[in-house]
Amino acid sequence: MYQVHLSLKDLQKVRNAAQIITEKIEQHYTIPVLAEMVDIPEKKLKAGFKHLFNKGAFRYRCDFLWNRVKILLLEDRPLKSVAFDTGFKDKSALIKAFKNEFGITPIQWKKDHENDVIKN
């Protein structure tokens, strides 16, 4: 199997790509677009995500997205607002995707985790 060499400069570009993903979570960038944005070959971008985060760019984005959704839910944000802020077309799309990912609706998840937040 071919090993991709990653320089420190390459790894910094991968970190920059990760930052783009997290700062613009409502956007969905393809690997080719993301690679072009940070000026790195696609193979190096993919290898860099695996090296730095033990997951591909897509899974990295998904994990970050779902963590963001959960935080917003626990902040008592309306589903419509959570959907908009995380790039879903509408609240129905958010509910469907959440249920596909976790097997329960966002509201059910929120009820199960409300006690996780320390109320001041």
Side-chain angles (χ1 to χ4, degrees):
M1 186 170 160
Y2 175 73
Q3 186 76 3
V4 176
H5 173 74
L6 296 167
S7 68
L8 291 177
K9 189 174 181 180
D10 292 333
L11 292 174
Q12 186 54 53
K13 289 179 179 185
V14 173
R15 285 185 194 92
N16 292 346
Q19 185 175 356
I20 289 168
I21 290 170
T22 59
E23 288 179 354
K24 297 283 189 181
I25 195 63
E26 71 282 357
Q27 291 288 114
H28 180 72
Y29 299 104
T30 63
I31 293 291
V33 168
L34 203 53
E36 186 176 325
M37 289 174 77
V38 297
D39 191 31
I40 191 173
E42 291 176 37
K43 282 186 178 185
K44 284 191 172 193
L45 181 66
K46 290 176 183 180
F49 265 90
K50 293 278 188 194
H51 176 77
L52 290 174
F53 307 110
N54 292 321
K55 58 184 89 173
F58 179 76
R59 178 46 44 195
Y60 178 86
R61 180 187 181 274
C62 287
D63 290 349
F64 186 86
L65 172 74
W66 290 125
N67 285 334
R68 182 77 184 127
V69 166
K70 290 173 180 179
I71 288 167
L72 294 174
L73 288 171
L74 292 174
E75 290 176 355
D76 281 333
R77 299 275 298 277
L79 277 181
K80 184 177 178 180
S81 171
V82 174
F84 177 79
D85 289 350
T86 53
F88 287 92
K89 177 178 66 170
D90 54 31
K91 75 178 189 177
S92 297
L94 169 62
I95 292 167
K96 182 178 179 181
F98 195 97
K99 192 164 185 176
N100 284 341
E101 184 75 13
F102 301 106
I104 59 175
T105 67
I107 299 303
Q108 290 169 317
W109 181 90
K110 181 182 172 193
K111 285 179 182 173
D112 291 346
H113 291 85
E114 282 177 324
N115 293 331
D116 294 352
V117 178
I118 298 172
K119 308 258 191 233
N120 290 334

